[in-house]
Amino acid sequence: MSATTAREDRRNATAHQGVAVELTALRRTYGQVTALDDLTLRLAPGELVALLGPSGCGKTTALRCLAGLEDPDGGRIEVGGKDLTRVPTNRRDMGMVFQAYSLFPHLTARQNVEFGLQLRGHNAQRRRTRAAEMLELVGLESQADRYAHQMSGGQQQRVALARALAIEPQVLLLDEPLSALDAKVRVQLRDEIRRIQLDVGTTTLFVTHDQEEALAVADRVGVMRHGRLEQIAPPEELYSQPASEFVADFVGVTNRLPGTASQGTATVLGSSVPLLAGSATEGAVMVLVRPEHLALDPVADSATHDPGPAATVVSASFLGAHGRVRVRVGEHTVLVQVPSAAVADFTAGAPVRVRPLGIPALAVASA
Ligand code: ATP
């Protein structure tokens, strides 16, 4: 059988049409704490939405309400057009993966994957076939007879994912599934999760506090704050067009530079920067400029450009794929991204000029 045919067969065995998920004005309070403040969130069929936000913003509560593990005080949960708000967890048909390590320790990988199928009354032959398909999907067919303690954290989470998907859930819920893993495994497994999710087509809610993870896996990322969605957008849009200061600060690194706004642009460091929708548009503003939207010129080269204000290098760091230079401009410290190869050109104390590249930025009124 060709690799393509095998993949198609697997897809036929695992693929799901995907259903729409709608959370409408969901409310959940714990005493004085409002964990969800009329949260409204819609997932299109087959979509992967990542919920991102600082600790305590309500991400996990939203996921647990969708799972039926928490009862909302108000609002509505619909999956595939059906109202599930008061339906118990075991009748919601959802697959869940939590932080490591949630496998049953006394069962092998295969038995863990078969577990949900057994609960649903599938016969032994069907369970075995399905578990084999699922373990193949997550690349662990050779580990089927291992127990949790004989597998790495990353392998255990793959088994947990296989177990969640084995029951062909309508919705897949992932609550910080990678947070207990080390950096390299995290990246591998998050890419793997995305590949598998696209393969099976299950509508997925992925909760994380890690912005890079959210941007890397999701069709859309929802940034939560105080129990509500602050902004939801595809990763690239969220990053390049943050709708608020909170989102610009939370997603990526940003400089706050004083400027003067007029008619949709601001003058910052002596250059003109177009302003994004939602910006303060007149008068004294703080402009939120990403490090990669600034350039650094050694003073000797600055004659070729319209020079910005004089600045001094404070420090320069090599970060692998690129470098970051911290410079002092008057009373402000500014971070500028530079190519890795250029890091060595910027030694502490060297005079430089900082130049905005003219990429649209968000401006907020000066305090
Ligand atoms: P984290 O990233 O730290 O897990 P989160 O964004 O997932 O945070 P939630 O766990 O949803 O946040 O919690 C939202 C708020 O509700 C927090 O203030 C939390 O302390 C509170 N909370 C959550 N569960 C309970 C509970 N069972 N009893 C009391 N307060 C709770």
Side-chain angles (χ1 to χ4, degrees):
M1 189 189 290
S2 74
T4 315
T5 318
R7 202 163 43 241
E8 277 167 6
D9 279 359
R10 191 179 68 204
R11 193 178 163 81
N12 291 337
T14 56
H16 217 273
Q17 267 301 305
V19 292
V21 173
E22 298 199 15
L23 309 181
T24 308
L26 222 51
R27 209 169 172 78
R28 179 67 164 114
T29 54
Y30 299 100
Q32 299 297 306
V33 176
T34 303
L36 295 180
D37 187 7
D38 292 345
L39 173 74
T40 292
L41 171 66
R42 298 191 181 347
L43 284 75
E47 189 179 31
L48 192 161
V49 167
L51 277 186
L52 177 69
S55 183
C57 70
K59 311 178 289 290
T60 297
T61 305
L63 179 135
R64 289 176 61 83
C65 284
L66 178 53
L69 298 170
E70 295 283 341
D71 281 331
D73 304 319
R76 188 177 164 88
I77 299 170
E78 274 185 36
V79 174
K82 292 203 187 81
D83 184 352
L84 296 190
T85 318
R86 302 290 159 205
V87 171
T89 309
N90 60 2
R91 298 209 348 248
R92 289 201 183 186
D93 196 12
M94 298 194 183
M96 291 176 234
V97 180
F98 299 101
Q99 287 189 17
Y101 299 88
S102 59
L103 296 185
F104 301 117
H106 59 290
L107 300 182
T108 63
R110 186 202 327 273
Q111 289 165 339
N112 264 282
V113 178
E114 287 189 16
F115 183 79
L117 300 168
Q118 197 160 1
L119 285 184
R120 284 169 171 74
H122 292 282
N123 68 35
Q125 176 58 37
R126 169 74 187 131
R127 293 202 304 266
R128 211 168 171 84
T129 310
R130 182 77 184 151
E133 281 167 8
M134 289 299 106
L135 287 170
E136 189 202 337
L137 184 70
V138 299
L140 281 184
E141 53 275 49
S142 62
Q143 315 281 314
D145 296 318
R146 294 207 175 185
Y147 292 90
H149 73 272
Q150 297 171 312
M151 291 184 280
S152 68
Q155 288 170 333
Q156 290 182 47
Q157 286 305 75
R158 280 167 204 253
V159 176
L161 183 63
R163 182 176 65 183
L165 290 172
I167 59 168
E168 295 183 70
Q170 290 203 86
V171 180
L172 180 62
L173 302 175
L174 306 172
D175 189 3
E176 303 266 7
L178 307 173
S179 62
L181 306 176
D182 68 43
K184 199 163 177 195
V185 178
R186 280 182 86 122
V187 170
Q188 279 169 355
L189 194 49
R190 94 181 176 208
D191 293 346
E192 191 88 331
I193 285 175
R194 179 54 162 163
R195 174 190 65 78
I196 291 167
Q197 190 270 339
L198 286 171
D199 215 0
V200 297
T202 309
T203 310
T204 301
L205 187 65
F206 186 125
V207 161
T208 178
H209 63 272
D210 181 326
Q211 44 149 314
E212 189 185 311
E213 202 163 283
L215 297 176
V217 299
D219 291 302
R220 287 185 303 152
V221 178
V223 177
M224 282 188 72
R225 183 189 193 194
H226 302 323
R228 309 181 76 108
L229 267 186
E230 182 92 356
Q231 184 176 6
I232 183 162
E236 202 277 329
E237 184 182 326
L238 192 80
Y239 188 81
S240 61
Q241 297 169 49
S244 69
E245 186 174 6
F246 179 82
V247 174
D249 272 337
F250 196 77
V251 182
V253 177
T254 196
N255 292 292
R256 297 168 61 86
L257 302 174
T260 310
S262 173
Q263 298 181 346
T265 61
T267 305
V268 185
L269 298 171
S271 296
S272 178
V273 172
L275 294 179
L276 290 172
S279 291
T281 51
E282 294 298 328
V285 288
M286 279 292 175
V287 187
L288 309 178
V289 185
R290 305 273 188 209
E292 67 271 30
H293 295 169
L294 294 168
L296 215 47
D297 302 314
V299 161
D301 294 350
S302 63
T304 55
H305 304 293
D306 184 15
T312 309
V313 174
V314 176
S315 60
S317 322
F318 175 76
L319 300 175
H322 55 80
R324 210 162 263 168
V325 183
R326 188 176 292 275
V327 300
R328 190 96 198 133
V329 189
E331 60 188 26
H332 293 275
T333 300
V334 181
L335 281 176
V336 184
Q337 185 166 305
V338 298
S340 315
V343 172
D345 299 343
F346 298 105
T347 48
V352 286
R353 293 194 189 274
V354 191
R355 182 166 47 92
L357 294 172
I359 314 274
L362 188 74
V364 296
S366 279

